[in-house]
Amino acid sequence: MTNEKTRDLLRSIENIVTSDHSSETQVTAKEHEKKVGSIIKAHLDCEDVDKEKFRNLLSKNGIKQSSKEFKSSPPGEVSIEDSCGFSHEKNYIVHQPFGSQAYPDFVVVRISGSVAKLCFIECKQEKPTWNNTPPKKCKDCIYVCGNKVYNGYIILSEYELKLINDYKELYEEHVKFFNNLSSEINFVMYKKIETAQWPTKHFIENESHNIGYIHETLSRFY
């Protein structure tokens, strides 16, 4: 079930209109990202917080945001002993918390008791390209693709994720092997991964859960 707050937020995203920048896709993407951030901030009543302060919150509480586990399966909540200046029961939004080229575009944070609740939000075009960061299979990872919101948990299947991980491991070994053969040539990894169709077959088969999962993660910040 969803409530009116979730429905209002989704309606606002459905009504996003970006200017026609023709071939300037980066400009359009930035405008879309800015509008999504404004909607999230308004509907969840968030206060902006500096990315360094957010990173400090993670590091002071022993959370390694650069770890493979954190990157592959971002946690919906983490244990907190030191609130590092964050108020309890208050929503914060962090823009590009790990850098402009890194996932995600936004993190929403709320400290309740001894945990920090987290929601990761990534902005994409209507038919997304994933490059080096395929969708995370996590309920607390949300993708805003054009005017539609997708819950990360149902975009790819477990089998498809295993294929991606196997591909990455073999590719990295392959690149390392060739880099060890010569000091004059440097082979650089570029693991571009795209979905064959959009929405994915797995999402279509599980779309009935999409709005419910989105509400499940967003309602933690109401």
Side-chain angles (χ1 to χ4, degrees):
M1 293 181 63
T2 60
N3 71 3
E4 196 59 34
K5 284 188 177 182
T6 300
R7 287 193 290 270
D8 283 349
L9 189 153
L10 295 177
R11 274 194 293 266
S12 294
I13 289 173
E14 288 173 1
N15 292 327
I16 287 176
V17 177
T18 55
S19 304
D20 182 10
H21 297 287
S22 59
S23 61
E24 299 181 62
T25 54
Q26 285 188 326
V27 175
T28 304
K30 287 181 180 178
E31 184 184 352
H32 177 256
E33 181 180 308
K34 183 177 180 181
K35 289 186 176 184
V36 170
S38 295
I39 289 169
I40 299 297
K41 181 179 177 180
H43 284 267
L44 298 185
D45 191 22
C46 296
E47 179 180 310
D48 289 307
V49 68
D50 183 81
K51 65 183 70 176
E52 295 303 327
K53 184 175 180 179
F54 173 65
R55 291 179 188 174
N56 184 55
L57 175 72
L58 297 180
S59 62
K60 286 284 188 179
N61 289 280
I63 300 149
K64 298 179 179 179
Q65 53 89 10
S66 61
S67 69
K68 184 177 180 180
E69 293 76 15
F70 190 99
K71 287 183 174 181
S72 61
S73 298
E77 63 178 44
V78 293
S79 296
I80 294 293
E81 293 183 1
D82 184 348
S83 60
C84 298
F86 283 77
S87 299
H88 285 240
E89 305 302 338
K90 181 179 178 64
N91 294 337
Y92 297 89
I93 189 167
V94 193
H95 184 221
Q96 297 178 343
F98 307 121
S100 60
Q101 300 301 314
Y103 174 89
D105 291 316
F106 301 98
V107 171
V108 178
V109 189
R110 181 186 182 95
I111 297 180
S112 298
S114 60
V115 301
K117 302 173 184 178
L118 306 174
C119 178
F120 302 81
I121 301 162
E122 181 80 349
C123 301
K124 295 284 186 181
Q125 60 200 49
E126 185 177 356
K127 184 180 179 184
T129 56
W130 303 100
N131 297 320
N132 293 328
T133 312
K136 318 287 186 185
K137 193 173 180 62
C138 303
K139 285 185 180 179
D140 299 307
C141 296
I142 291 174
Y143 294 85
V144 182
C145 303
N147 297 88
K148 185 162 182 179
V149 183
Y150 299 81
N151 187 274
Y153 189 71
I154 54 175
I155 294 177
L156 294 177
S157 67
E158 292 287 355
Y159 173 71
E160 289 158 346
L161 285 175
K162 184 179 184 305
L163 286 182
I164 290 171
N165 291 330
D166 290 348
Y167 165 74
K168 285 182 175 181
E169 289 180 9
L170 287 172
Y171 186 31
E172 288 174 7
E173 290 176 9
H174 200 61
V175 171
K176 286 178 183 177
F177 172 80
F178 278 93
N179 276 329
N180 288 332
L181 297 180
S182 172
S183 60
E184 299 300 316
I185 302 173
N186 183 36
F187 295 92
V188 179
M189 290 185 291
Y190 184 64
K191 305 183 292 292
K192 182 164 181 161
I193 300 165
E194 303 296 354
T195 52
Q197 70 176 66
W198 188 257
T200 61
K201 182 181 178 182
H202 188 69
F203 178 85
I204 292 170
E205 292 172 348
N206 294 276
E207 188 170 6
S208 60
H209 300 292
N210 188 47
I211 302 302
Y213 287 165
I214 291 169
H215 174 68
E216 185 179 324
T217 188
L218 292 181
S219 62
R220 300 176 303 143
F221 302 91
Y222 295 164

